[in-house]
Amino acid sequence: MRTFQAEEHTEPYTACRSIAGPELWARLSSDRKLSYDSEPLIGDLIRAGGQGMPKFLPDLARLEYTIEDVRRSEVRILEVTAEICLNPTVRLLDLSWKNLLPLLTQDRTEVHADPVPGSELVLVWNDPARQRVKYRVASQNDLLALKITDEHINPESAAKEGNVTVGMIDSIIDEAVHEGILLSPPSQLNRDQSIFPLNDYVDKSFLSSHSFTLQWHITQACDLHCRHCYDRSSRSPMSLEQGIRILDDVRMFCRNRHVIKAVSFTGGNPFLYPHFAELYRAASERGFSIGILGNPTGREKIESLIAIQKPTHFQVSLEGLQAQNDFIRGEGHFDRVMEFLKVLRELNIFSMVMLTLTKNNMKEVIPLAEILNEHADRFHFNRLSMVGEGASLMLPEKEKYIAFLDSYEKAVQKYPVLGLKDNMLSVLSYKKGLEPFGGCTTFGCGAAFNFLAVLSDGEVHACRKFPSPIGNIFRQSISDIYDSPQAQRYREGCRACRTCKLHAVCGGCLAVAHSLGQDIYEEKDPFCFLNE
């Protein structure tokens, strides 16, 4: 459904004036000052119909009047509301002609259907986030969102009454909030400003997340045995019933915190979880945005998931060029990934490639980017966390790593596939006078802030890249875990970073600091070069 934005600084009844022509319009309005009370003018337009005027003109005048009335309205839109509520500027206009909205655009080259008789409901409102008056033909979803909110119907009851999934109802409400038709309380996932102070480089947008992601390791089973694997331990498998309870718990957490909900299914290899299709469907039915972090798999398996809900992205891993990658991940893995990337492109799924940066593969990142530029949508790297089997590998020397970052930043201009992720790129951006990009999770280190990692036995970690247990979701609610003192400690980052103006967009990497023997609550990332 197309949404229009009202033109700024237009004369009253611009479209009506244009259609009537200056001579007739002057005659119709000669004895009045064209106040924004439309009814006398509409009466004149109705009577003017006998002079060859289009019969839709009175409805067009009502529409233009309503848009201007909303623009000039002094109704106060609350900046903070306690619950989702109707935008008080919303007007629902019942017109007797269809296809009037395109007549209001100033783009006269646009082709659109001619007005025809017929009932059409039009929404007009002032979108507070964008500070623009918007209008569109009201869809059934718009009307349902208004009804649910106005009558205080909970999503579960609305889903049951409409015989649809609760996820569909959540999505309808989320869309209305996004468009400004409904007003929502602000996100309840907020940084502590005493620990993440605002400054001339970091604004408040980096202190509040509007989404939450569950990085869900639904199984330990894996068809690879990578040399840098963080955790090959044996863990209890999760039943489908336990998985569905987790989805319900996280859905309510996100609803109560007023954030968009997302889940990234991973493992091990998520396709080796025996109930993956059922769990994926359950996440879809609950309105989750779904991503996959896994290994190459058969095309038919991806197509079966698309039939349920298209994943937002599919992330695979490469650890360098073919020889280096296959040394880490097993013979033939590089070729399987490259073939799988073709499948993802054919299926129009956003493809991401992740590389774990080590001393041995750093020099291969940019050559690999040259290859992936034609095959993937995004290529990121994270520094190795030397835990688990990764303890047998080595991180690069700091000086060589800093030089690599500089070459990487330059390569981004040449290879659009390259993405910015590692938090030390925030330091480089700052030192080069560039805008902040947000670091690893768009909020610097997002450990226990805008994501949590959950393992197959229910153990919850602030970050999966190193041991950071903060609870167990089989015994506690996600809300209790998120609000726990343990989670708060990870969320605050290290004490050494608190006076840094980059804290909210960087914070270093706790996993790297941990693997190099640092006290992660006190000492900063050893690779930090801000003051060098």
Side-chain angles (χ1 to χ4, degrees):
M1 185 62 62
R2 183 180 176 187
T3 300
F4 296 83
Q5 294 192 62
E7 304 286 351
E8 296 288 352
H9 310 300
T10 58
E11 293 182 331
Y13 305 106
T14 300
C16 289
R17 288 170 183 263
S18 175
I19 292 170
E23 183 177 337
L24 179 56
W25 187 263
R27 189 163 67 249
L28 290 172
S29 58
S30 60
D31 60 346
R32 60 181 91 258
K33 296 181 179 180
L34 281 183
S35 69
Y36 291 103
D37 178 3
S38 66
E39 292 310 313
L41 174 63
I42 289 170
D44 286 349
L45 293 175
I46 292 172
R47 288 187 287 276
Q51 304 177 34
M53 295 298 299
K55 293 183 178 180
F56 63 76
L57 208 58
D59 264 12
L60 184 62
R62 286 192 179 94
L63 179 57
E64 288 198 276
Y65 164 74
T66 302
I67 291 170
E68 190 60 32
D69 191 48
V70 170
R71 192 206 308 269
R72 294 162 59 90
S73 172
E74 296 182 359
V75 172
R76 181 170 174 264
I77 300 178
L78 295 175
E79 292 186 7
V80 178
T81 177
E83 60 182 0
I84 293 177
C85 63
L86 299 180
N87 180 333
T89 68
V90 166
R91 302 280 294 276
L92 189 60
L93 197 59
D94 190 357
L95 302 176
S96 55
W97 286 80
K98 297 181 178 181
N99 305 328
L100 295 182
L101 274 60
L103 297 177
L104 303 183
T105 179
Q106 291 185 350
D107 182 4
R108 302 305 178 210
T109 64
E110 184 175 335
V111 177
H112 55 79
D114 292 332
V116 294
S119 178
E120 188 163 78
L121 290 173
V122 172
L123 276 176
V124 182
W125 73 100
N126 192 339
D127 180 354
R130 298 158 188 85
Q131 297 184 328
R132 294 295 300 268
V133 175
K134 299 163 93 173
Y135 53 93
R136 72 183 183 200
V137 176
S139 67
Q140 288 300 314
N141 285 352
D142 291 334
L143 298 176
L144 183 57
L146 293 173
K147 176 181 174 65
I148 289 172
T149 305
D150 186 50
E151 298 180 12
H152 300 283
I153 303 171
N154 68 52
E156 293 79 7
S157 298
K160 184 176 181 180
E161 182 178 342
N163 195 30
V164 296
T165 65
V166 71
M168 181 177 292
I169 300 298
D170 284 349
S171 296
I172 288 170
I173 298 298
D174 289 344
E175 166 65 14
V177 169
H178 176 74
E179 288 293 331
I181 296 168
L182 300 179
L183 303 180
S184 173
S187 165
Q188 298 301 300
L189 302 187
N190 299 303
R191 296 288 201 191
D192 184 342
Q193 198 167 321
S194 67
I195 296 173
F196 296 86
L198 300 178
N199 53 66
D200 59 357
Y201 189 66
V202 173
D203 63 32
K204 65 180 181 180
S205 66
F206 293 106
L207 301 188
S208 180
S209 176
H210 296 285
S211 65
F212 175 83
T213 299
L214 185 74
Q215 187 185 89
W216 199 356
H217 299 258
I218 57 177
T219 180
Q220 288 289 91
C222 190
D223 47 337
L224 301 178
H225 193 139
C226 303
R227 294 176 183 269
H228 68 324
C229 186
Y230 303 136
D231 184 3
R232 294 289 296 181
S233 64
S234 176
R235 293 180 179 270
S236 302
M238 176 185 67
S239 70
L240 177 60
E241 292 74 18
Q242 286 174 315
I244 290 174
R245 284 199 297 271
I246 290 173
L247 287 172
D248 287 333
D249 186 23
V250 175
R251 174 182 167 268
M252 289 305 300
F253 170 81
C254 292
R255 180 180 169 191
N256 293 336
R257 305 296 170 112
H258 306 291
V259 292
I260 302 298
K261 52 190 177 293
V263 59
S264 290
F265 285 116
T266 185
N269 183 351
F271 288 91
L272 297 181
Y273 177 62
H275 309 293
F276 183 40
E278 295 96 320
L279 195 63
Y280 190 98
R281 183 180 298 278
S284 175
E285 290 174 346
R286 285 154 179 78
F288 280 82
S289 171
I290 305 174
I292 302 174
L293 284 61
N295 302 332
T297 191
R299 182 190 184 104
E300 67 284 352
K301 290 184 179 179
I302 304 301
E303 290 176 331
S304 68
L305 297 183
I306 293 174
I308 299 170
Q309 177 177 316
K310 182 180 174 181
T312 58
H313 62 277
F314 195 118
Q315 179 178 294
V316 291
S317 295
L318 286 174
E319 309 306 338
L321 300 176
Q322 186 166 12
Q324 173 66 21
N325 175 81
D326 288 2
F327 171 74
I328 297 294
R329 290 189 170 265
E331 185 176 353
H333 178 264
F334 187 92
D335 288 338
R336 290 197 300 274
V337 168
M338 296 306 295
E339 287 300 313
F340 186 61
L341 289 174
K342 293 179 183 177
V343 172
L344 295 179
R345 180 148 293 185
E346 290 169 0
L347 296 176
N348 196 30
I349 294 176
F350 191 88
S351 60
M352 301 175 68
V353 177
M354 175 59 72
L355 175 142
T356 299
L357 191 78
T358 68
K359 178 179 181 179
N360 292 333
N361 68 7
M362 187 168 66
K363 63 182 179 298
E364 298 188 4
V365 172
I366 295 175
L368 180 58
E370 183 176 3
I371 296 172
L372 292 177
N373 203 53
E374 302 300 323
H375 298 279
D377 294 303
R378 188 69 71 242
F379 174 35
H380 288 131
F381 75 87
N382 265 332
R383 281 169 289 156
L384 169 73
S385 175
M386 296 163 56
V387 299
E389 298 190 14
S392 63
L393 302 178
M394 295 182 65
L395 283 159
E397 291 87 355
K398 180 177 178 179
E399 293 73 18
K400 292 182 179 179
Y401 174 69
I402 295 171
F404 160 74
L405 288 185
D406 188 62
S407 62
Y408 184 91
E409 189 272 333
K410 293 173 182 174
V412 168
Q413 313 305 317
K414 185 176 181 180
Y415 304 118
V417 71
L418 286 174
L420 303 178
K421 187 171 179 67
D422 189 280
N423 281 338
M424 287 302 104
L425 285 164
S426 290
V427 176
L428 183 69
S429 294
Y430 176 74
K431 296 190 77 165
K432 288 195 170 190
L434 304 175
E435 294 291 322
F437 74 92
C440 184
T441 67
T442 71
F443 298 93
C445 175
F449 176 53
N450 62 335
F451 80 91
L452 288 173
V454 175
L455 310 187
S456 63
D457 59 359
E459 198 168 270
V460 180
H461 287 247
C463 173
R464 185 63 180 109
K465 290 175 61 180
F466 74 111
S468 50
I470 55 177
N472 191 295
I473 202 168
F474 293 157
R475 298 191 292 270
Q476 303 163 271
S477 71
I478 196 76
S479 182
D480 286 343
I481 294 170
Y482 187 90
D483 292 334
S484 68
Q486 297 94 322
Q488 181 65 27
R489 289 190 74 190
Y490 287 107
R491 202 153 44 238
E492 292 175 355
C494 74
R495 192 177 302 276
C497 289
R498 293 186 188 177
T499 58
C500 177
K501 63 165 54 180
L502 305 186
H503 194 192
V505 295
C506 180
C509 179
L510 299 180
V512 169
H514 168 85
S515 65
L516 291 175
Q518 304 286 95
D519 181 342
I520 63 168
Y521 302 119
E522 298 292 333
E523 300 174 278
K524 66 182 181 180
D525 187 326
F527 282 78
C528 178
F529 58 99
L530 180 63
N531 298 317
E532 297 177 12

